[in-house]
Amino acid sequence: MTDRDGSRWVRGRTALAAFAVVTALAAGGVWFSQASDRASAVDAAPKTSAAQDVKSAGRSSAGLPGVRACGIGEPEIKPRVITLTCADAGMVATAIAWERYGAQEAEGKGVVQVERTAAGVATDSAFPATFRLFGAKTVDGARVFTGLEVTYERSTPLGDTTEMYNLA
């Protein structure tokens, strides 16, 4: 009986050691896979350098109001990219083509890109939309638009057809 108890103890210890090794390997694999997921998520986010490269449509010209990035900095005339949620840059208006850009109002079309963690949306998504800048006034010595209305063409990130953003 003693031999049996000893062999059970050895088998139990071996099983426990095998379980510990498998658990450690699995935990390490999860940790490493999450690191690569985080890296790819950062690359795929709307705020990537690829999206920001198209941003420079022009600086102040002919007294036209511009758009200040998240309400700060130098106003930009006819921006191609506007960050809608400045806290996390989870929603970004991109590829904006301005059809009309005047002293009181501007209108254009583009796409709202939503990062997977923003607004409860399951994956990175893009929503075609029309953009209307309004409320031109002088802020910190520069002429800027203070409001943005986004009207979605089809499905929307938050279920609304129109959203309003304060740009000042």
Side-chain angles (χ1 to χ4, degrees):
M1 214 163 201
T2 312
D3 290 337
R4 267 190 170 173
D5 288 339
S7 67
R8 280 187 191 162
W9 184 79
V10 170
R11 276 186 273 155
R13 195 171 85 187
T14 304
L16 182 60
F19 176 76
V21 168
V22 168
T23 302
L25 289 173
V30 168
W31 185 76
F32 281 116
S33 71
Q34 286 178 346
S36 68
D37 286 348
R38 284 190 297 270
S40 65
V42 169
D43 291 341
K47 57 189 176 289
T48 60
S49 61
Q52 297 302 322
D53 285 344
V54 292
K55 196 169 182 175
S56 60
R59 296 282 176 226
S60 183
S61 66
L64 291 174
V67 175
R68 294 171 62 188
C70 293
I72 58 173
E74 188 71 28
E76 186 173 0
I77 306 298
K78 297 183 181 181
R80 303 245 332 167
V81 175
I82 300 174
T83 302
L84 302 177
T85 54
C86 293
D88 64 357
M91 292 179 65
V92 179
T94 63
I96 302 171
W98 297 102
E99 297 169 352
R100 186 173 52 84
Y101 200 97
Q104 297 302 315
E105 205 173 73
E107 201 168 297
K109 291 187 183 244
V111 175
V112 173
Q113 292 181 350
V114 181
E115 188 176 341
R116 72 178 60 153
T117 57
V121 176
T123 59
D124 292 343
S125 304
F127 301 91
T130 300
F131 304 99
R132 184 177 71 89
L133 293 168
F134 61 92
K137 67 179 189 177
T138 302
V139 176
D140 295 333
R143 194 94 173 122
V144 297
F145 286 113
T146 60
L148 173 66
E149 178 182 69
V150 179
T151 304
Y152 296 96
E153 294 178 11
R154 291 187 289 274
S155 61
T156 66
L158 301 175
D160 300 326
T161 56
T162 302
E163 295 174 345
M164 304 296 278
Y165 295 92
N166 183 7
L167 300 177

